[in-house]
């Protein structure tokens, strides 16, 4: 944390816990009798609760989207570059809610928490959850906070899928949807990447069929490999080439299997660091939620027919070097919205960062997001008057 909190930072924030004792029926057929959601809020909810924005996180995200938890923190929340006073998601105008989804490992009910019915950790017994389940739980959080309608719901990647689901399933509960670097469903290749990641975890001898914590173990090798694979897909070839090229640690080849190229060192570091902050069961749950998401399936693949239910305006953003969720995937949603007669804006941003670009404060990207949300905020002011 900097010595002086920047004027555009939300500052020190404290996570909150919402307890729900009404059973939640899941798509998998199981039911959570009770559960908790960990969340953070930034800004102030106005008198008629009309200025709220919900942030939906991606695979490895959580509730800590902005600010700091303590003065000893070395870095802020994962989307601090976009959330704060005067930033694209302006906390002087909006009340921002960010949560850790069910199945996560940031404090919400998930594999690492205690099953109240057994008194033991859930671990492998935690049920498979879907984007639909997450949105249902988010609706309950909104109800608890007294938010009937969100001014906007915003998400990137897997978060964008949640935003899309909101617009279809609860169309009267959001005025604007911001979907960044996302897709209406995973491609076959993306499902394949997820399966390789899951198998890397499951084949680790320390996985113990998902009950590793009870065996005082962690499948660090498998989870680290899964993260290394994922990280490659989040970056563009140009970005990796510009950052590492063929830089080596030694003046000549060592002819062994140790680290020789700098990119090898980087990937190993990313994998090892990830195992210290993330749970393997959660990682597998998140990838399955990605795989299962396909809202158009309920209309024989007709996305426009499904989106005909939407009542909000949309902003879609893609990035030129994102090959995990390429611009064409965002454009599928844009074209479906146009066919359905819905108001939609679209920006394809020049960026070298690949899929991870949605996390970076790229000026053009931030300007597009800021302009769209400023329009939302101005409309709120007009309606209030």
């Amino acid at each position: 944390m900097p010595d002086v909190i920047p004027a555009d930072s939300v500052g020190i924030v404290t996570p909150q816990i919402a307890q729900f004792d009404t059973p939640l029926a899941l798509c998998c057929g199981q039911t959570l009798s009770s559960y908790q959601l960990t969340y953070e809020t930034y800004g102030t909810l106005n008198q008629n609760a009309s200025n709220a924005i919900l942030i939906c996180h991606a695979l490895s995200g959580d509730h800590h989207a902005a600010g700091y938890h303590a003065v000893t923190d070395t870095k802020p929340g994962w989307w601090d570059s976009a959330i704060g006073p005067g930033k694209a998601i302006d906390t002087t105008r909006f009340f921002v809610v960010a949560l850790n989804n069910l199945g996560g490992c940031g404090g919400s009910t998930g594999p690492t928490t205690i099953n109240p019915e057994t008194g033991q950790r859930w671990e492998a017994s935690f049920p498979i959850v879907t984007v639909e389940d997450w949105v249902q739980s988010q609706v309950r959080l909104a109800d608890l906070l007294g938010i009937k309608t969100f001014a906007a719901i915003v998400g990137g990647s897997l978060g964008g899928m949640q935003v899309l689901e909101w617009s279809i399933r609860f169309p009267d509960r959001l005025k604007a949807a911001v979907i960044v670097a996302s897709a209406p469903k995973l491609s076959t290749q993306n499902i394949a990447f997820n399966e390789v990641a899951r198998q890397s975890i499951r084949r680790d001898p320390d996985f113990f069929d998902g009950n590793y914590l009870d065996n005082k173990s962690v499948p660090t090798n498998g989870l680290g490999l899964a993260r290394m694979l994922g990280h490659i897909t989040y970056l563009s070839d140009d970005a990796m080439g510009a950052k590492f090229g063929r830089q080596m640690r030694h003046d000549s080849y060592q002819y062994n299997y140790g680290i020789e190229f700098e990119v090898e060192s980087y990937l190993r570091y990313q994998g090892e660091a990830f195992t210290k902050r993330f749970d393997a069961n959660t990682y597998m749950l998140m990838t399955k939620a990605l795989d299962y998401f396909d809202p158009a399936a309920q209309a024989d693949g007709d996305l426009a027919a499904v989106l005909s239910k939407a009542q909000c305006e949309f902003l879609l953003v893609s990035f030129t070097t994102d090959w995990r969720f390429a611009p064409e995937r965002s454009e599928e949603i844009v074209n479906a919205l146009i066919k359905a007669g819905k108001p939609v804006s679209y920006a394809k941003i020049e960026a070298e960062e690949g899929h991870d670009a949605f996390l970076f404060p790229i000026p053009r990207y931030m300007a597009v997001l800021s302009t769209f949300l400023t329009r939302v905020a101005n409309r709120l002011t007009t309606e209030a008057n």
Side-chain angles (χ1 to χ4, degrees):
M1 180 175 173
D3 293 335
V4 178
I5 296 177
D8 62 355
S9 171
V10 299
I12 301 292
V13 294
T14 301
Q16 302 176 65
I17 297 175
Q19 174 69 38
F20 298 90
D21 295 318
T22 301
L24 179 67
L26 304 174
C27 290
C28 68
Q30 297 188 53
T31 298
L32 291 177
S33 59
S34 63
Y35 58 95
Q36 292 183 338
L37 293 176
T38 300
Y39 67 99
E40 291 180 2
T41 65
Y42 323 110
T44 303
L45 188 64
N46 63 13
Q47 189 172 4
N48 59 358
S50 65
N51 69 330
I53 287 182
L54 177 66
I55 305 296
C56 300
H57 69 73
L59 190 153
S60 60
D62 57 20
H63 56 283
H64 187 40
Y68 302 85
H69 286 159
V71 295
T72 54
D73 286 358
T74 56
K75 60 182 181 180
W78 57 268
W79 215 13
D80 190 79
S81 60
I83 301 171
K87 294 180 181 177
I89 303 174
D90 190 346
T91 52
T92 67
R93 308 190 76 175
F94 294 109
F95 175 70
V96 181
V97 181
L99 79 157
N100 181 220
N101 280 326
L102 283 173
C105 52
S108 293
T109 297
T112 62
T113 64
I114 300 299
N115 180 344
E117 296 180 4
T118 66
Q120 305 295 317
R121 288 191 188 93
W122 280 97
E123 294 215 269
S125 67
F126 193 82
I128 295 288
V129 287
T130 65
V131 169
E132 294 90 335
D133 297 328
W134 288 337
V135 169
Q136 183 64 58
S137 69
Q138 292 164 8
V139 167
R140 292 187 179 184
L141 178 62
D143 290 342
L144 181 70
L145 296 174
I147 300 167
K148 182 178 179 181
T149 304
F150 282 102
I153 302 181
V154 183
S157 191
L158 176 55
M161 293 178 172
Q162 295 164 59
V163 179
L164 191 63
E165 180 66 19
W166 265 93
S167 74
I168 296 167
R169 194 169 177 191
F170 297 98
D172 60 338
R173 300 204 59 166
L174 69 161
K175 296 257 182 101
V178 180
I179 301 171
V180 184
S182 195
K185 64 182 177 183
L186 283 196
S187 66
T188 306
Q189 184 185 56
N190 271 318
I191 294 173
F193 279 130
N194 285 344
E195 174 59 7
V196 172
R198 288 191 295 267
Q199 287 301 317
S200 296
I201 294 170
R202 293 180 63 83
R203 297 186 185 198
D204 188 317
D206 290 326
F207 183 62
F208 290 101
D209 292 324
N211 296 307
Y212 42 87
L213 296 178
D214 284 347
N215 283 278
K216 297 180 172 53
S217 183
V218 177
T220 54
N221 287 332
L223 181 57
L225 285 172
R227 182 59 172 179
M228 289 169 69
L229 172 66
H231 207 72
I232 293 170
T233 70
Y234 302 149
L235 302 176
S236 70
D237 184 44
D238 289 344
M240 293 185 76
K243 189 170 185 176
F244 304 107
R246 290 180 58 87
Q247 296 176 47
M248 298 183 65
R249 286 200 155 188
H250 310 283
D251 294 332
S252 60
Y253 294 152
Q254 301 300 295
Y255 299 100
N256 59 38
Y257 296 107
I259 295 175
E260 294 196 74
F261 293 93
E262 289 296 342
V263 69
E264 295 174 321
S265 174
Y266 172 77
L267 288 174
R268 292 193 193 189
Y269 170 79
Q270 290 295 330
E272 291 171 7
F274 190 68
T275 64
K276 297 174 182 176
R277 70 174 181 87
F278 212 78
D279 176 65
N281 280 322
T282 289
Y283 195 90
M284 296 205 303
L285 284 170
M286 297 290 173
T287 61
K288 290 302 284 187
L290 276 162
D291 291 354
Y292 287 142
F293 184 70
D294 183 8
Q298 61 188 276
D300 296 323
D302 189 343
L303 185 61
V306 173
L307 286 170
S308 66
K309 304 172 186 177
Q311 299 176 17
C312 63
E313 63 175 323
F314 291 80
L315 170 65
L316 275 289
V317 180
S318 68
F319 301 94
T320 53
T321 58
D322 181 358
W323 58 277
R324 188 81 194 253
F325 289 144
E328 291 78 11
R329 306 311 312 282
S330 290
E331 289 159 16
E332 288 179 42
I333 302 174
V334 172
N335 291 333
L337 286 166
I338 292 172
K339 184 177 178 181
K342 304 303 176 181
V344 56
S345 301
Y346 173 58
K348 182 165 70 173
I349 306 296
E350 292 283 343
E352 64 177 20
E353 291 86 354
H355 185 57
D356 269 356
F358 82 93
L359 297 170
F360 285 82
I362 300 165
R364 177 71 172 173
Y365 167 38
M366 289 294 105
V368 167
L369 182 58
S370 178
T371 299
F372 182 81
L373 291 177
T374 295
R375 192 167 69 213
V376 171
N378 290 341
R379 188 179 302 117
L380 289 175
T381 301
T382 300
E383 291 173 353
N385 295 332

PDB file of all heavy atoms in Angstrom, residues 122-144:
ATOM      1  N   TRP A 122     -16.354 -29.095   3.446  1.00  0.00           N
ATOM      2  CA  TRP A 122     -17.047 -29.619   2.279  1.00  0.00           C
ATOM      3  C   TRP A 122     -16.091 -30.413   1.387  1.00  0.00           C
ATOM      4  O   TRP A 122     -16.418 -31.510   0.945  1.00  0.00           O
ATOM      5  CB  TRP A 122     -17.629 -28.463   1.454  1.00  0.00           C
ATOM      6  CG  TRP A 122     -18.910 -27.884   1.944  1.00  0.00           C
ATOM      7  CD1 TRP A 122     -19.073 -26.759   2.717  1.00  0.00           C
ATOM      8  CD2 TRP A 122     -20.227 -28.360   1.666  1.00  0.00           C
ATOM      9  NE1 TRP A 122     -20.405 -26.513   2.931  1.00  0.00           N
ATOM     10  CE2 TRP A 122     -21.141 -27.475   2.293  1.00  0.00           C
ATOM     11  CE3 TRP A 122     -20.732 -29.446   0.946  1.00  0.00           C
ATOM     12  CZ2 TRP A 122     -22.518 -27.636   2.217  1.00  0.00           C
ATOM     13  CZ3 TRP A 122     -22.110 -29.608   0.869  1.00  0.00           C
ATOM     14  CH2 TRP A 122     -22.985 -28.717   1.503  1.00  0.00           C
ATOM     15  N   GLU A 123     -14.959 -29.823   1.056  1.00  0.00           N
ATOM     16  CA  GLU A 123     -13.993 -30.403   0.116  1.00  0.00           C
ATOM     17  C   GLU A 123     -14.688 -30.991  -1.118  1.00  0.00           C
ATOM     18  O   GLU A 123     -15.519 -30.347  -1.742  1.00  0.00           O
ATOM     19  CB  GLU A 123     -13.122 -31.424   0.839  1.00  0.00           C
ATOM     20  CG  GLU A 123     -12.224 -30.759   1.892  1.00  0.00           C
ATOM     21  CD  GLU A 123     -10.883 -31.420   2.016  1.00  0.00           C
ATOM     22  OE1 GLU A 123     -10.747 -32.338   2.846  1.00  0.00           O
ATOM     23  OE2 GLU A 123      -9.959 -30.990   1.301  1.00  0.00           O
ATOM     24  N   ALA A 124     -14.412 -32.260  -1.441  1.00  0.00           N
ATOM     25  CA  ALA A 124     -14.933 -32.851  -2.680  1.00  0.00           C
ATOM     26  C   ALA A 124     -16.443 -33.007  -2.689  1.00  0.00           C
ATOM     27  O   ALA A 124     -17.053 -33.164  -3.756  1.00  0.00           O
ATOM     28  CB  ALA A 124     -14.275 -34.208  -2.918  1.00  0.00           C
ATOM     29  N   SER A 125     -17.084 -32.964  -1.520  1.00  0.00           N
ATOM     30  CA  SER A 125     -18.534 -33.144  -1.461  1.00  0.00           C
ATOM     31  C   SER A 125     -19.292 -31.876  -1.826  1.00  0.00           C
ATOM     32  O   SER A 125     -20.523 -31.910  -1.955  1.00  0.00           O
ATOM     33  CB  SER A 125     -18.960 -33.600  -0.059  1.00  0.00           C
ATOM     34  OG  SER A 125     -18.730 -32.575   0.904  1.00  0.00           O
ATOM     35  N   PHE A 126     -18.589 -30.747  -2.004  1.00  0.00           N
ATOM     36  CA  PHE A 126     -19.300 -29.523  -2.371  1.00  0.00           C
ATOM     37  C   PHE A 126     -19.894 -29.701  -3.758  1.00  0.00           C
ATOM     38  O   PHE A 126     -19.215 -30.139  -4.687  1.00  0.00           O
ATOM     39  CB  PHE A 126     -18.380 -28.303  -2.352  1.00  0.00           C
ATOM     40  CG  PHE A 126     -19.138 -27.004  -2.413  1.00  0.00           C
ATOM     41  CD1 PHE A 126     -19.692 -26.459  -1.275  1.00  0.00           C
ATOM     42  CD2 PHE A 126     -19.319 -26.350  -3.623  1.00  0.00           C
ATOM     43  CE1 PHE A 126     -20.419 -25.278  -1.321  1.00  0.00           C
ATOM     44  CE2 PHE A 126     -20.051 -25.171  -3.690  1.00  0.00           C
ATOM     45  CZ  PHE A 126     -20.600 -24.633  -2.529  1.00  0.00           C
ATOM     46  N   PRO A 127     -21.177 -29.365  -3.925  1.00  0.00           N
ATOM     47  CA  PRO A 127     -21.841 -29.619  -5.214  1.00  0.00           C
ATOM     48  C   PRO A 127     -21.330 -28.724  -6.342  1.00  0.00           C
ATOM     49  O   PRO A 127     -20.818 -27.627  -6.110  1.00  0.00           O
ATOM     50  CB  PRO A 127     -23.321 -29.331  -4.908  1.00  0.00           C
ATOM     51  CG  PRO A 127     -23.282 -28.384  -3.742  1.00  0.00           C
ATOM     52  CD  PRO A 127     -22.102 -28.803  -2.927  1.00  0.00           C
ATOM     53  N   ILE A 128     -21.478 -29.225  -7.551  1.00  0.00           N
ATOM     54  CA  ILE A 128     -21.160 -28.431  -8.735  1.00  0.00           C
ATOM     55  C   ILE A 128     -22.120 -27.239  -8.794  1.00  0.00           C
ATOM     56  O   ILE A 128     -23.335 -27.391  -8.611  1.00  0.00           O
ATOM     57  CB  ILE A 128     -21.309 -29.272 -10.017  1.00  0.00           C
ATOM     58  CG1 ILE A 128     -20.284 -30.415 -10.040  1.00  0.00           C
ATOM     59  CG2 ILE A 128     -21.177 -28.395 -11.254  1.00  0.00           C
ATOM     60  CD1 ILE A 128     -18.862 -29.984 -10.286  1.00  0.00           C
ATOM     61  N   VAL A 129     -21.572 -26.063  -9.034  1.00  0.00           N
ATOM     62  CA  VAL A 129     -22.398 -24.857  -9.158  1.00  0.00           C
ATOM     63  C   VAL A 129     -22.264 -24.294 -10.570  1.00  0.00           C
ATOM     64  O   VAL A 129     -21.266 -24.524 -11.254  1.00  0.00           O
ATOM     65  CB  VAL A 129     -22.012 -23.790  -8.112  1.00  0.00           C
ATOM     66  CG1 VAL A 129     -22.479 -24.194  -6.729  1.00  0.00           C
ATOM     67  CG2 VAL A 129     -20.517 -23.528  -8.107  1.00  0.00           C
ATOM     68  N   THR A 130     -23.266 -23.561 -10.976  1.00  0.00           N
ATOM     69  CA  THR A 130     -23.305 -23.009 -12.329  1.00  0.00           C
ATOM     70  C   THR A 130     -23.465 -21.495 -12.294  1.00  0.00           C
ATOM     71  O   THR A 130     -23.742 -20.906 -11.247  1.00  0.00           O
ATOM     72  CB  THR A 130     -24.490 -23.601 -13.110  1.00  0.00           C
ATOM     73  OG1 THR A 130     -25.710 -23.170 -12.480  1.00  0.00           O
ATOM     74  CG2 THR A 130     -24.437 -25.130 -13.136  1.00  0.00           C
ATOM     75  N   VAL A 131     -23.317 -20.885 -13.452  1.00  0.00           N
ATOM     76  CA  VAL A 131     -23.560 -19.451 -13.568  1.00  0.00           C
ATOM     77  C   VAL A 131     -24.984 -19.119 -13.123  1.00  0.00           C
ATOM     78  O   VAL A 131     -25.212 -18.118 -12.431  1.00  0.00           O
ATOM     79  CB  VAL A 131     -23.316 -18.977 -15.016  1.00  0.00           C
ATOM     80  CG1 VAL A 131     -23.812 -17.540 -15.216  1.00  0.00           C
ATOM     81  CG2 VAL A 131     -21.832 -19.075 -15.360  1.00  0.00           C
ATOM     82  N   GLU A 132     -25.938 -19.965 -13.482  1.00  0.00           N
ATOM     83  CA  GLU A 132     -27.321 -19.745 -13.073  1.00  0.00           C
ATOM     84  C   GLU A 132     -27.453 -19.741 -11.546  1.00  0.00           C
ATOM     85  O   GLU A 132     -28.174 -18.905 -10.982  1.00  0.00           O
ATOM     86  CB  GLU A 132     -28.228 -20.830 -13.664  1.00  0.00           C
ATOM     87  CG  GLU A 132     -28.344 -20.787 -15.186  1.00  0.00           C
ATOM     88  CD  GLU A 132     -27.300 -21.622 -15.900  1.00  0.00           C
ATOM     89  OE1 GLU A 132     -26.204 -21.868 -15.316  1.00  0.00           O
ATOM     90  OE2 GLU A 132     -27.556 -22.039 -17.040  1.00  0.00           O
ATOM     91  N   ASP A 133     -26.749 -20.656 -10.885  1.00  0.00           N
ATOM     92  CA  ASP A 133     -26.778 -20.700  -9.416  1.00  0.00           C
ATOM     93  C   ASP A 133     -26.191 -19.428  -8.820  1.00  0.00           C
ATOM     94  O   ASP A 133     -26.714 -18.875  -7.840  1.00  0.00           O
ATOM     95  CB  ASP A 133     -25.993 -21.906  -8.906  1.00  0.00           C
ATOM     96  CG  ASP A 133     -26.582 -23.235  -9.336  1.00  0.00           C
ATOM     97  OD1 ASP A 133     -27.819 -23.330  -9.473  1.00  0.00           O
ATOM     98  OD2 ASP A 133     -25.808 -24.194  -9.540  1.00  0.00           O
ATOM     99  N   TRP A 134     -25.088 -18.976  -9.396  1.00  0.00           N
ATOM    100  CA  TRP A 134     -24.452 -17.754  -8.887  1.00  0.00           C
ATOM    101  C   TRP A 134     -25.395 -16.565  -8.993  1.00  0.00           C
ATOM    102  O   TRP A 134     -25.533 -15.782  -8.054  1.00  0.00           O
ATOM    103  CB  TRP A 134     -23.167 -17.462  -9.665  1.00  0.00           C
ATOM    104  CG  TRP A 134     -22.046 -18.393  -9.352  1.00  0.00           C
ATOM    105  CD1 TRP A 134     -21.880 -19.137  -8.218  1.00  0.00           C
ATOM    106  CD2 TRP A 134     -20.935 -18.688 -10.196  1.00  0.00           C
ATOM    107  NE1 TRP A 134     -20.729 -19.876  -8.303  1.00  0.00           N
ATOM    108  CE2 TRP A 134     -20.127 -19.621  -9.497  1.00  0.00           C
ATOM    109  CE3 TRP A 134     -20.530 -18.262 -11.454  1.00  0.00           C
ATOM    110  CZ2 TRP A 134     -18.936 -20.127 -10.026  1.00  0.00           C
ATOM    111  CZ3 TRP A 134     -19.364 -18.755 -11.987  1.00  0.00           C
ATOM    112  CH2 TRP A 134     -18.576 -19.683 -11.279  1.00  0.00           C
ATOM    113  N   VAL A 135     -26.032 -16.433 -10.137  1.00  0.00           N
ATOM    114  CA  VAL A 135     -26.927 -15.293 -10.331  1.00  0.00           C
ATOM    115  C   VAL A 135     -28.090 -15.354  -9.343  1.00  0.00           C
ATOM    116  O   VAL A 135     -28.494 -14.339  -8.775  1.00  0.00           O
ATOM    117  CB  VAL A 135     -27.414 -15.235 -11.786  1.00  0.00           C
ATOM    118  CG1 VAL A 135     -28.559 -14.234 -11.937  1.00  0.00           C
ATOM    119  CG2 VAL A 135     -26.265 -14.867 -12.713  1.00  0.00           C
ATOM    120  N   GLN A 136     -28.611 -16.547  -9.101  1.00  0.00           N
ATOM    121  CA  GLN A 136     -29.696 -16.684  -8.123  1.00  0.00           C
ATOM    122  C   GLN A 136     -29.232 -16.232  -6.732  1.00  0.00           C
ATOM    123  O   GLN A 136     -29.959 -15.538  -6.020  1.00  0.00           O
ATOM    124  CB  GLN A 136     -30.174 -18.134  -8.055  1.00  0.00           C
ATOM    125  CG  GLN A 136     -31.351 -18.360  -7.124  1.00  0.00           C
ATOM    126  CD  GLN A 136     -32.605 -17.631  -7.566  1.00  0.00           C
ATOM    127  OE1 GLN A 136     -33.106 -17.826  -8.662  1.00  0.00           O
ATOM    128  NE2 GLN A 136     -33.120 -16.759  -6.700  1.00  0.00           N
ATOM    129  N   SER A 137     -28.021 -16.606  -6.354  1.00  0.00           N
ATOM    130  CA  SER A 137     -27.498 -16.197  -5.044  1.00  0.00           C
ATOM    131  C   SER A 137     -27.224 -14.698  -5.006  1.00  0.00           C
ATOM    132  O   SER A 137     -27.392 -14.049  -3.967  1.00  0.00           O
ATOM    133  CB  SER A 137     -26.222 -16.983  -4.704  1.00  0.00           C
ATOM    134  OG  SER A 137     -25.137 -16.608  -5.535  1.00  0.00           O
ATOM    135  N   GLN A 138     -26.807 -14.129  -6.134  1.00  0.00           N
ATOM    136  CA  GLN A 138     -26.562 -12.694  -6.206  1.00  0.00           C
ATOM    137  C   GLN A 138     -27.858 -11.905  -6.073  1.00  0.00           C
ATOM    138  O   GLN A 138     -27.880 -10.825  -5.471  1.00  0.00           O
ATOM    139  CB  GLN A 138     -25.851 -12.363  -7.528  1.00  0.00           C
ATOM    140  CG  GLN A 138     -24.432 -12.892  -7.609  1.00  0.00           C
ATOM    141  CD  GLN A 138     -23.885 -12.917  -9.026  1.00  0.00           C
ATOM    142  OE1 GLN A 138     -24.501 -12.403  -9.967  1.00  0.00           O
ATOM    143  NE2 GLN A 138     -22.715 -13.521  -9.207  1.00  0.00           N
ATOM    144  N   VAL A 139     -28.935 -12.444  -6.612  1.00  0.00           N
ATOM    145  CA  VAL A 139     -30.247 -11.802  -6.458  1.00  0.00           C
ATOM    146  C   VAL A 139     -30.612 -11.726  -4.984  1.00  0.00           C
ATOM    147  O   VAL A 139     -31.117 -10.703  -4.494  1.00  0.00           O
ATOM    148  CB  VAL A 139     -31.323 -12.580  -7.248  1.00  0.00           C
ATOM    149  CG1 VAL A 139     -32.728 -12.134  -6.840  1.00  0.00           C
ATOM    150  CG2 VAL A 139     -31.130 -12.378  -8.739  1.00  0.00           C
ATOM    151  N   ARG A 140     -30.346 -12.803  -4.262  1.00  0.00           N
ATOM    152  CA  ARG A 140     -30.661 -12.804  -2.827  1.00  0.00           C
ATOM    153  C   ARG A 140     -29.799 -11.794  -2.076  1.00  0.00           C
ATOM    154  O   ARG A 140     -30.272 -11.157  -1.126  1.00  0.00           O
ATOM    155  CB  ARG A 140     -30.462 -14.208  -2.261  1.00  0.00           C
ATOM    156  CG  ARG A 140     -31.485 -15.212  -2.782  1.00  0.00           C
ATOM    157  CD  ARG A 140     -31.364 -16.545  -2.065  1.00  0.00           C
ATOM    158  NE  ARG A 140     -32.358 -17.498  -2.562  1.00  0.00           N
ATOM    159  CZ  ARG A 140     -32.522 -18.710  -2.041  1.00  0.00           C
ATOM    160  NH1 ARG A 140     -31.768 -19.121  -1.026  1.00  0.00           N
ATOM    161  NH2 ARG A 140     -33.428 -19.533  -2.546  1.00  0.00           N
ATOM    162  N   LEU A 141     -28.548 -11.642  -2.488  1.00  0.00           N
ATOM    163  CA  LEU A 141     -27.699 -10.628  -1.860  1.00  0.00           C
ATOM    164  C   LEU A 141     -28.254  -9.235  -2.140  1.00  0.00           C
ATOM    165  O   LEU A 141     -28.295  -8.380  -1.245  1.00  0.00           O
ATOM    166  CB  LEU A 141     -26.260 -10.752  -2.368  1.00  0.00           C
ATOM    167  CG  LEU A 141     -25.272  -9.708  -1.828  1.00  0.00           C
ATOM    168  CD1 LEU A 141     -25.140  -9.808  -0.310  1.00  0.00           C
ATOM    169  CD2 LEU A 141     -23.900  -9.866  -2.492  1.00  0.00           C
ATOM    170  N   ALA A 142     -28.678  -9.004  -3.379  1.00  0.00           N
ATOM    171  CA  ALA A 142     -29.274  -7.706  -3.729  1.00  0.00           C
ATOM    172  C   ALA A 142     -30.507  -7.431  -2.868  1.00  0.00           C
ATOM    173  O   ALA A 142     -30.695  -6.317  -2.365  1.00  0.00           O
ATOM    174  CB  ALA A 142     -29.644  -7.681  -5.211  1.00  0.00           C
ATOM    175  N   ASP A 143     -31.336  -8.446  -2.676  1.00  0.00           N
ATOM    176  CA  ASP A 143     -32.520  -8.278  -1.839  1.00  0.00           C
ATOM    177  C   ASP A 143     -32.129  -7.905  -0.413  1.00  0.00           C
ATOM    178  O   ASP A 143     -32.748  -7.032   0.206  1.00  0.00           O
ATOM    179  CB  ASP A 143     -33.339  -9.571  -1.822  1.00  0.00           C
ATOM    180  CG  ASP A 143     -34.012  -9.866  -3.156  1.00  0.00           C
ATOM    181  OD1 ASP A 143     -34.130  -8.941  -3.978  1.00  0.00           O
ATOM    182  OD2 ASP A 143     -34.396 -11.032  -3.376  1.00  0.00           O
ATOM    183  N   LEU A 144     -31.095  -8.562   0.096  1.00  0.00           N
ATOM    184  CA  LEU A 144     -30.633  -8.278   1.454  1.00  0.00           C
ATOM    185  C   LEU A 144     -30.150  -6.840   1.587  1.00  0.00           C
ATOM    186  O   LEU A 144     -30.366  -6.192   2.626  1.00  0.00           O
ATOM    187  CB  LEU A 144     -29.504  -9.252   1.823  1.00  0.00           C
ATOM    188  CG  LEU A 144     -28.923  -9.118   3.231  1.00  0.00           C
ATOM    189  CD1 LEU A 144     -29.936  -9.593   4.274  1.00  0.00           C
ATOM    190  CD2 LEU A 144     -27.630  -9.923   3.361  1.00  0.00           C
TER     191      LEU A 144
END
